[in-house]
Amino acid sequence: MTRILIAEDDLHVASFIQKGLRAAGYATEHAADGETALFLARAAGFDLIILDIGLPLLDGFEVLAQIRGEGVSTPVIVLTARDSVPDTVAGLEGGANDYMTKPFHVAELLARIRLRLTDHVPAATGTVIEHEGLSLDLHSRRARAGEEAVELTAREFAILEVFLRHPDRVISREQLLSQVWGYDFDPGSNVVDVYVRALRKKIGTERIETIRGVGYRLP
């Protein structure tokens, strides 16, 4: 059975989420503070984490930073009352897979959970994926281009992971938005192009091809 950790200090909200998830067939566990959430996220083998930002003892940003820094790749949906652009960016740059603001509908949360669980494909045959001299270690979160180590942001790492999982396949901007950012951007936004351009500077401009009018490809 799929196990989901709910890190939420508001007991009414936590109970509301638990009832909805259990009715949908998920097993849940609740953490009311950041220290408990961090301990469980490290050790308990959850399939997904719902993480409130305003947790006592240790806030959600710090919990997220620590688990991602330790190589925990469990999908994380950040759930918070904050809806400012800086908080959204901070959560996603910190390694969250999706972002929802309160109040919310359980049906939408369930849809996002299903999407994140579908997107999250464990590396069953190992923690390293590679293609044509590029490699990512999904456990240590380290990247290499040829013999050189490359420092990537969480978002750049996620983009490169998508390309490495689908070499020679054209990936559209919309697919990258869905798989890497996990929520709806303005269709006119150039955020994908900005990040791909930054990634090229680090791994080599020739490694990612632009397919005009469609998207990108890792040849």
Side-chain angles (χ1 to χ4, degrees):
M1 179 179 289
T2 300
R3 301 178 67 241
I4 297 177
L5 173 63
I6 303 168
E8 168 62 64
D9 64 319
D10 186 316
L11 298 183
H12 294 291
V13 173
S15 176
F16 172 68
I17 296 171
Q18 281 190 302
K19 288 178 181 178
L21 268 58
R22 287 175 178 174
Y26 298 113
T28 66
E29 189 160 346
H30 175 229
D33 62 74
E35 290 185 353
T36 303
L38 180 60
F39 173 80
L40 291 173
R42 284 168 167 166
F46 290 96
D47 298 289
L48 184 137
I49 300 169
I50 297 173
L51 180 64
D52 181 43
I53 292 301
L55 294 172
L57 302 183
L58 202 64
D59 73 27
F61 288 131
E62 183 60 27
V63 173
L64 184 59
Q66 290 202 39
I67 64 174
R68 290 298 188 242
E70 294 168 10
V72 177
S73 61
T74 306
V76 173
I77 298 176
V78 168
L79 184 66
T80 177
R82 304 177 188 180
D83 59 359
S84 69
V85 172
D87 282 333
T88 302
V89 172
L92 294 169
E93 286 294 343
N97 300 83
D98 210 338
Y99 192 101
M100 289 187 66
T101 57
K102 304 170 186 175
F104 60 92
H105 295 287
V106 169
E108 181 183 1
L109 178 59
L110 288 170
R112 289 175 181 262
I113 287 171
R114 288 191 292 269
L115 179 62
R116 295 306 130 217
L117 290 172
T118 300
D119 285 348
H120 184 63
V121 181
T125 59
T127 63
V128 178
I129 53 177
E130 55 188 330
H131 176 74
E132 296 294 335
L134 290 173
S135 68
L136 292 180
D137 188 317
L138 304 180
H139 180 74
S140 68
R141 309 292 290 181
R142 292 192 177 96
R144 300 189 71 83
E147 298 300 318
E148 299 294 325
V150 182
E151 292 293 330
L152 300 179
T153 67
R155 203 62 53 210
E156 291 165 351
F157 191 98
I159 291 171
L160 186 53
E161 181 179 350
V162 172
F163 283 127
L164 285 173
R165 290 192 182 279
H166 306 285
D168 297 316
R169 172 178 163 184
V170 178
I171 308 294
S172 71
R173 290 171 177 81
E174 291 76 17
Q175 287 172 314
L176 286 171
L177 283 172
S178 173
Q179 295 187 48
V180 175
W181 277 264
Y183 70 104
D184 293 333
F185 264 91
D186 176 354
S189 170
N190 68 340
V191 66
V192 171
D193 304 295
V194 170
Y195 271 88
V196 169
R197 185 160 57 246
L199 182 58
R200 279 171 165 160
K201 289 180 180 179
K202 296 182 178 183
I203 67 171
T205 57
E206 76 287 351
R207 291 185 182 271
I208 300 175
E209 294 181 344
T210 298
I211 309 302
R212 190 175 298 276
V214 182
Y216 300 96
R217 178 173 60 202
L218 185 71

